Amino acid sequence: MARKETQVIIKMNHLAGFMACTMSGASSKLALFLCGCYVVALGVHAGEPCVAEDQEAEYYVAAVYEHQSVLSPDPLALTSRKQALELMNQNLDAYEQQVMTAAQKGVQIIVFPEDGIHGFNFTRTSIYPFLDFMPSPQLVRWNPCLEPHRFNDTEVLQRLSCMAIKGEMFLVANLGTKQPCHSGDPGCPNDGRYQFNTNVVFSNNGTLVDRYRKHNLYFEAAFDTPPKVDHITFDTPFAGKFGIFTCFDILFFDPAIRLLRDSEVKHIIYPTAWMNQLPLLAAIEIQKAFAVAFGISVLAANIHHPSLGMTGSGIHTPLKSFWYHDMENPRGHLIIAQVAKNPQSLIGTENATGEMDPSHSKFLKILSGEPYCEKDAQEVHCDEATTWNMNASPTFHSEMMYDNFTLVPVWGKEGHLQVCSNGLCCSLLYKRPTLSKELYALGVFDGLHTVHGTYYVQVCALVKCGGLGFDTCGQEITEATGIFEFHLWGNFSTSYIFPLFLTSGMTLEIPDQLGWEHDHYFLRKSGLSSGLVTAALYGRLYERD
């Protein structure tokens, strides 16, 4: 759980211009949207200049809503369906307000968070009055708003369907659902029903398009794991094919990775109720990393309960992000942004810098084992490949993310470090324009993570420590002043590597370059916008879970 911070983050990050407004075509829907979008998503004053091109055909307009839900005062208590609906309708009223706001901005799809309608911390019995009956969209074509009496206990689905019609947009929301089962079904629970954590997708005419039932439950005693994994995609007229999964699913192969084997899936819908955990698994951090790793867009809606460490939503593509992170304000927040229909990948690309800079040349020479030569005014100096001026730093251990990392301190204004654990060796080549009074460390972990879930990770991480002592490395911090130019790399034995990158004030950074070189995966960055908090390569070995 993240500690409280006195901050609000509503930002856009970009390498090239993400949005633009054509003032010469100001009467167009796109131009009107873009000006409005800056106001809603970024808090930029409406009077500030908008510069842009009309690229309506290449983009769609999306919204995600970070919702501060009205929670049951006692989720363990038994209640009636009527009482459950009274509570859920308060949250649905808030949803409807956001849909109407989004409709005015030309939004084509809106996403609401996990647990946003009913809340959490229920038992299997106490959540029952909050569950809607869920027919299979594969078997039944149904518009709940227009056919409200077709099935009993579908009041929530009816309201969501009507919102989609009213807002003339695709709508994705999360709710609890129930499905009767028979004793002949070997997986049927003793009470004769399945209970699922469910995302539903409605088209802009209110039709139930599809549903996804969460597979990787996170200590959710009220819900069942579906008998088979749902691999759900749906088509839209404005941006092609979307995939969908929920919260903890993002860390596992099924359904998240398998969905993306479909090359037509360019966009992921991601309702979540994520408790931030720094330095490696803050909500916006993993959302952005997933977008970058797969070259897709991620529409992520988180719940908003700062006292529980729950905040962080965003609309992310590899090169751009609009995000919201606020540990102080109790209110929810609507993000609206224009999203490329075909996101541009960052992997294997580099900025157009002309000639290769010396640091990248040195990095490539280190990996290839060649001598590295520098020319000064008089002569050429060469380092032999065997030495490379590897810094002699003490190795130490510290707990990070409940795992026992092996680390070395990052001292001095420049250097080349390496630290190894099991089969994974992590390296750092760095320069610092000025030294700050902070301790940074390069850490490695190659093993099975076993707290709050069991999964195998390989991690190379450059982190700012909580204090000046080695035992503070791995603590949760959000502010930093240390500026680095660096290459971070490791000999990973997986191709599933997520680049985690945060700077001071919960600011997302974008690497200059990512990719494979001589069987090592690397991240390269210069020109940080603020002090470095975390730069990490987070590898997942799904087959070792």
Side-chain angles (χ1 to χ4, degrees), residues 10-41:
I10 312 168
K11 293 185 178 179
M12 168 184 158
N13 199 346
H14 62 88
L15 286 178
F18 188 22
M19 285 194 164
C21 244
T22 316
M23 301 321 291
S24 61
S27 62
S28 74
K29 183 178 182 182
L30 178 68
L32 289 172
F33 154 68
L34 286 172
C35 293
C37 177
Y38 272 115
V39 177
V40 176

Side-chain angles (χ1 to χ4, degrees), residues 363-380:
F363 160 71
L364 294 174
K365 298 265 187 176
I366 291 173
L367 281 186
S368 66
E370 299 174 23
Y372 172 68
C373 301
E374 290 181 320
K375 187 184 294 185
D376 63 21
Q378 281 78 37
E379 55 189 343
V380 175

Side-chain angles (χ1 to χ4, degrees), residues 487-510:
H487 287 73
L488 173 68
W489 71 95
N491 61 329
F492 290 88
S493 50
T494 176
S495 61
Y496 299 108
I497 300 167
F498 302 91
L500 307 171
F501 208 167
L502 278 178
T503 56
S504 192
M506 294 300 293
T507 302
L508 290 171
E509 284 282 347
I510 300 173

Side-chain angles (χ1 to χ4, degrees), residues 17 146 161 211 239 273 288 360 406-407 429 498 511 537:
L146 303 183
S161 170
R211 58 99 174 91
K288 178 66 174 185
H360 196 58
T406 304
L407 305 102
L429 183 66
F498 302 91
L537 298 171

Side-chain angles (χ1 to χ4, degrees), residues 430-476:
Y430 68 96
K431 283 187 176 182
R432 305 184 62 182
T434 56
L435 289 176
S436 58
K437 293 182 179 179
E438 297 164 307
L439 175 63
Y440 283 84
L442 172 67
V444 59
F445 180 77
D446 180 358
L448 191 66
H449 174 89
T450 57
V451 178
H452 302 153
T454 302
Y455 44 93
Y456 200 103
V457 293
Q458 288 186 327
V459 184
C460 292
L462 170 60
V463 295
K464 183 199 161 184
C465 305
L468 297 180
F470 287 172
D471 61 342
T472 68
C473 297
Q475 292 181 356
E476 299 189 9

